[in-house]
Amino acid sequence: MHSPSRRAFLRGNPAKTVILRPPWAVANFLERCSRCSRCITACPEHILQTGDFNFPQVNFQQGACTFCQACVQACPDNALILQEKISAWTYRALIHQHCLAFHGVECRSCGEFCDSRAIVFRLRVGGVAQPQLNLDLCTGCGACYAPCPINAIEIRPLSTVSLP
């Protein structure tokens, strides 16, 4: 996990500081990436942007990743490499406790945008349906991120995600 960026720390939001690199980023991505921005230009979903120190990072406010591999094909530095036995993306969604549904407000925005059906809502007698996240179905594509009206969704490394 990355340490909080100075910008996030000064904004008072150090909890959401995981910098998401493009799918298929190699372990030594920062050493290999020349910051040419070809992956950013190639991304048809426009979710890649220039981040701190001009390294590419994912911004799910723009949309979701379709794992189309355009970024990999555009990378001249071998900083993004397709490998059969390595998953494209080791990140998953996390639904925080400040989710509207957990506080009795009907909202299913995240589930409506989840194509893999990893987020479903379980009915509760006398209450609002509660979101349930299936980590096995979640691809970490970020489709659920932008639609959430209160930013209760975060995309984090799989090793740091647990169900609420």
Side-chain angles (χ1 to χ4, degrees):
M1 170 136 63
H2 300 284
S3 61
S5 71
R6 182 173 183 256
R7 182 180 301 145
F9 179 76
L10 292 174
R11 287 183 180 161
N13 193 11
K16 292 191 177 191
T17 59
V18 174
I19 296 172
L20 302 176
R21 299 295 175 208
W24 297 286
V26 296
N28 60 346
F29 176 81
L30 296 179
E31 295 169 19
R32 287 190 178 192
C33 178
S34 66
R35 300 175 265 190
C36 69
S37 298
R38 290 182 188 161
C39 60
I40 294 171
T41 304
C43 180
E45 303 303 322
H46 308 290
I47 64 167
L48 296 182
Q49 67 179 24
T50 302
D52 291 341
F53 305 106
N54 295 320
F55 285 105
Q57 65 185 40
V58 177
N59 178 356
F60 286 124
Q61 287 289 10
Q62 307 304 312
C65 184
T66 61
F67 304 106
C68 69
Q69 304 172 9
C71 57
V72 176
Q73 295 165 4
C75 180
D77 304 319
N78 290 323
L80 307 173
I81 299 176
L82 288 175
Q83 298 176 24
E84 286 182 31
K85 297 189 183 208
I86 296 177
S87 173
W89 197 244
T90 57
Y91 295 89
R92 298 296 181 266
L94 171 67
I95 303 171
H96 286 285
Q97 289 301 316
H98 63 276
C99 168
L100 291 173
F102 293 148
H103 296 278
V105 178
E106 182 68 39
C107 179
R108 297 184 187 201
S109 297
C110 57
E112 291 171 4
F113 285 87
C114 182
D115 288 340
S116 66
R117 300 292 173 230
I119 301 173
V120 296
F121 285 79
R122 300 286 178 223
L123 297 176
R124 230 177 51 170
V125 176
V128 172
Q130 302 290 290
Q132 289 189 334
L133 176 65
N134 183 332
L135 292 177
D136 293 331
L137 294 177
C138 180
T139 64
C141 71
C144 58
Y145 182 86
C148 180
I150 62 163
N151 299 317
I153 301 283
E154 185 177 0
I155 307 300
R156 298 196 50 95
L158 180 58
S159 61
T160 66
V161 174
S162 63
L163 296 175

